[in-house]
Amino acid sequence: MEFDMPPADDPRRLAVREWVADNPTPSDRELAESGYVVPHWPQPWGVGADPMHQLIIAEELDAAQILMPKNAIGIGWAAPVIWMAGTEAQKARYLPGIFSDEERWCQLFSEPDSGSDLASLSTRAERDGDEYIINGGKIWSSGAHDSQFGILLARTDPDVPKHKGISYFLFPMDAPGTTMTPVIDMTTAHSFNQVYFDDVRIPADLRIGEEGDGWRLAKVTLANERVGLSSGGALWGAGPGTDDLLELIRANGPVADPLMRQRIAQLYAESEVLRLNQLRTLSAQIAGETPGPEASIQKIMSDEIGQSIMEVAKDLVGASGMLTGSGPTGLVPKNKQGGPTEVNFPRGAEAEVADVDPIWHYGFLFSSALTLGGGTFAIQRNIVAEHVLGLPREPNVEQGMSWSETRSRQPA
Ligand SMILES: Cc1cc2nc3c(=O)[nH]c(=O)nc-3n(C[C@H](O)[C@H](O)[C@H](O)COP(=O)(O)OP(=O)(O)OC[C@H]3O[C@@H](n4cnc5c(N)ncnc54)[C@H](O)[C@@H]3O)c2cc1C
């Protein structure tokens, strides 16, 4: 790590503190209007912050326990593409609602037959005058049942190479002809949906960018996630992390089993490597350099470490770990305190053991998704192999694209 955090009297810190003093419990709209939701954006959306300034803002808001709006797909993925390729009218209409979380967004990319090979998607958008008619369907659409809009990829030209015939749309989820069914995952939460489009007509001015330019924009969407500023939790930045688990282990006495001690030590060592690697990425960004291979290995490492954290947490309580609601600190009787505990992350999950933080059980079940969503572990390794290590491309090269290039989820 080659940077020091600016001192307590740095004017950028003082400016954030002054704002916090005036807005100790800001609404999402107030946060959006302050520019702190996307500080690296130019005004009026952000404050034009460089990476160090972003870190300061994140630290200060964190210290004041101010949470950002929850519209992750809207803020992280939809907004940058609207900003880059949208018309002035699209920016003015959609960006304020995204940043204030008054309009929630979902991502309508994956299809039952197009996941890793996303460019093979078959949902159709046919031009009819000043409208498009959408037919087809999407799956794994996280939070679609909670969203007002979705970013939609659809095929506008089936007669050109697959990645050239795709267009990108801003899709109103209440458009007539749109239906969805819930997909309940093994945590019992309803976070996914299967979405169907049956002759759905949307205005042509909901297309973003040129017709056929959707693939390029899709890659921008997913590469445009904000600079990772915090160490974050095991579940894609949310939930507990290695430090939380170690703290519980310390508080609950020594671990006698030598194999378990070894696993805990290994988890600690790997988490430290990940933390230092994150700082290396950040250090490069602060120095104005483009992050190199360290950014590519970040997702692979953090997802696998996330799974280890949850596995160790369950295994610590031995066979009891198999029971619903158990976590690293042992078991208490079901519903001891009179009912299931609500978990806020991610949506609707419930636990049956009152005294154990339900996030551990939920996190254990959810953690297998970490190495699938956002580009699977195999696709990430293909990307590292081909684009970082310079190894030969996979044999399944189609129209000049390797398999890993057919997936939009490129390294940051
Ligand atoms: C928690 C979660 C949230 C998600 N949210 C959304 C969302 O909101 N919107 C959305 O559009 N999608 C979403 N997805 C879908 C996600 O993008 C896909 O699951 C992912 O891209 C993989 O596609 P697939 O499931 O079709 O698997 P497939 O592509 O069918 O892969 C199946 C298996 O084959 C392997 N494989 C595939 N190709 C190769 C290759 N070339 N080399 C080696 N191995 C390969 C994969 O690694 C995997 O193990 C979400 C997924 C998860 C888990």
Side-chain angles (χ1 to χ4, degrees):
M1 172 175 130
E2 287 171 13
F3 62 88
D4 292 315
M5 284 307 287
D9 60 353
D10 184 282
R12 294 167 296 182
R13 273 193 200 288
L14 298 180
V16 186
R17 283 186 199 165
E18 201 176 308
W19 184 83
V20 169
D22 292 341
N23 302 274
T25 52
S27 65
D28 285 345
R29 175 162 278 279
E30 285 165 339
L31 268 171
E33 285 168 358
S34 74
Y36 292 153
V37 175
V38 279
H40 54 306
W41 282 44
Q43 287 177 336
W45 314 108
V47 295
D50 61 22
M52 181 58 85
H53 192 180
Q54 282 181 70
L55 266 184
I56 293 172
I57 293 169
E59 257 190 18
E60 292 296 329
L61 295 181
D62 214 37
Q65 298 187 324
I66 292 175
L67 297 177
M68 284 294 138
K70 287 199 175 126
N71 200 358
I73 291 177
I75 296 168
W77 299 358
V81 138
I82 295 174
W83 175 251
M84 195 189 93
T87 61
E88 289 310 311
Q90 286 171 331
K91 288 178 201 172
R93 164 64 188 85
Y94 297 108
L95 291 178
I98 290 178
F99 295 141
S100 64
D101 197 17
E102 282 156 6
E103 287 172 339
R104 187 67 61 93
W105 287 62
C106 64
Q107 183 199 30
L108 303 166
F109 282 17
S110 303
E111 297 181 3
D113 293 323
S114 301
S116 298
D117 184 12
L118 183 60
S120 69
L121 60 89
S122 59
T123 292
R124 283 282 277 125
E126 285 173 86
R127 185 78 188 237
D128 182 29
D130 56 4
E131 291 182 319
Y132 281 95
I133 306 171
I134 317 280
N135 277 293
K138 299 287 172 176
I139 195 165
W140 314 126
S141 316
S142 305
H145 56 299
D146 244 353
S147 298
Q148 285 71 48
F149 291 94
I151 40 176
L152 169 75
L153 291 184
R155 189 163 299 285
T156 36
D157 187 348
D159 300 323
V160 294
K162 63 183 180 183
H163 56 289
K164 292 194 174 144
I166 295 170
S167 298
Y168 197 120
F169 297 91
L170 309 175
F171 185 83
M173 297 303 291
D174 60 359
T178 310
T179 51
M180 74 181 86
T181 49
V183 179
I184 307 299
D185 68 36
M186 71 183 189
T187 69
T188 72
H190 169 201
S191 49
F192 297 128
N193 301 273
Q194 186 152 7
V195 181
Y196 308 91
F197 312 111
D198 194 4
D199 282 333
V200 179
R201 286 181 171 271
I202 59 168
D205 64 10
L206 288 181
R207 192 193 70 228
I208 191 152
E210 297 301 316
E211 198 171 276
D213 201 24
W215 186 246
R216 184 180 68 88
L217 297 180
K219 291 174 90 160
V220 172
T221 299
L222 297 166
N224 239 326
E225 293 181 41
R226 283 191 307 169
V227 181
L229 295 175
S230 67
S231 53
L235 308 172
W236 285 330
T242 304
D243 289 348
D244 300 297
L245 180 59
L246 295 180
E247 210 170 290
L248 280 175
I249 294 171
R250 276 187 215 106
N252 284 272
V255 173
D257 176 2
L259 288 180
M260 180 52 83
R261 291 165 70 91
Q262 203 172 334
R263 281 175 67 190
I264 295 168
Q266 186 176 345
L267 181 58
Y268 171 74
E270 286 172 356
S271 300
E272 272 303 286
V273 173
L274 175 64
R275 191 178 67 81
L276 294 171
N277 190 57
Q278 281 164 339
L279 289 175
R280 205 156 57 143
T281 309
L282 197 56
S283 179
Q285 285 166 328
I286 286 170
E289 294 160 15
T290 308
E294 65 273 10
S296 309
I297 56 179
Q298 207 145 297
K299 175 165 166 56
I300 295 175
M301 282 189 73
S302 58
D303 290 347
E304 291 179 2
I305 288 174
Q307 289 176 341
S308 298
I309 293 172
M310 295 300 164
E311 278 162 19
V312 167
K314 277 289 193 179
D315 289 349
L316 272 167
V317 285
S320 314
M322 288 188 282
L323 298 178
T324 302
S326 65
T329 52
L331 277 171
V332 293
K334 182 178 170 183
N335 292 346
K336 187 180 165 198
Q337 291 172 347
T341 316
E342 281 286 328
V343 181
N344 288 329
F345 175 81
R347 273 171 289 270
E350 291 180 352
E352 294 175 350
V353 180
D355 279 0
V356 178
D357 187 339
I359 196 66
W360 293 105
H361 183 75
Y362 178 85
F364 174 74
L365 293 180
F366 182 83
S367 63
S368 49
L370 295 176
T371 46
L372 294 174
T376 71
F377 67 99
I379 295 299
Q380 299 299 333
R381 278 173 166 74
N382 283 352
I383 291 170
V384 170
E386 294 176 13
H387 299 278
V388 177
L389 301 176
L391 294 176
R393 289 180 160 198
E394 272 194 274
N396 194 351
V397 176
E398 188 180 327
Q399 290 139 0
M401 297 172 81
S402 75
W403 260 99
S404 61
E405 281 171 315
T406 64
R407 182 72 217 169
S408 61
R409 290 165 166 93
Q410 299 284 353

